[in-house]
Amino acid sequence: MWLEGGIKITKANIWDLIRNLIYCGKIFVTKYKDQESRYVKKLHEPLIFEELF
């Protein structure tokens, strides 16, 4: 399926979009020096509760 702007949407793209943790207020922070990579709560209000996600 192609959108108006010329962007191709596939089932895999949609799956990636709905599984993005940023919607429940978390972002992934990569490993830096001696700190491990992890998910942290973001300052923005989540669009969906983590329990529903």
Side-chain angles (χ1 to χ4, degrees):
M1 173 191 291
W2 289 87
L3 294 180
E4 248 179 69
I7 300 171
K8 186 175 182 178
I9 299 293
T10 64
K11 288 181 183 179
N13 293 114
I14 292 171
W15 182 251
D16 288 340
L17 287 173
I18 64 172
R19 297 291 301 164
N20 194 337
L21 282 175
I22 201 163
Y23 295 123
C24 67
K26 292 187 174 187
I27 67 166
F28 184 73
V29 177
T30 58
K31 183 178 179 178
Y32 179 72
K33 294 186 180 182
D34 61 339
Q35 297 179 352
E36 294 295 320
S37 56
R38 63 189 186 280
Y39 285 97
V40 295
K41 287 193 176 195
K42 197 66 180 120
L43 298 176
H44 68 277
E45 188 171 332
L47 298 174
I48 187 169
F49 294 110
E50 190 172 353
E51 295 81 25
L52 289 175
F53 187 73

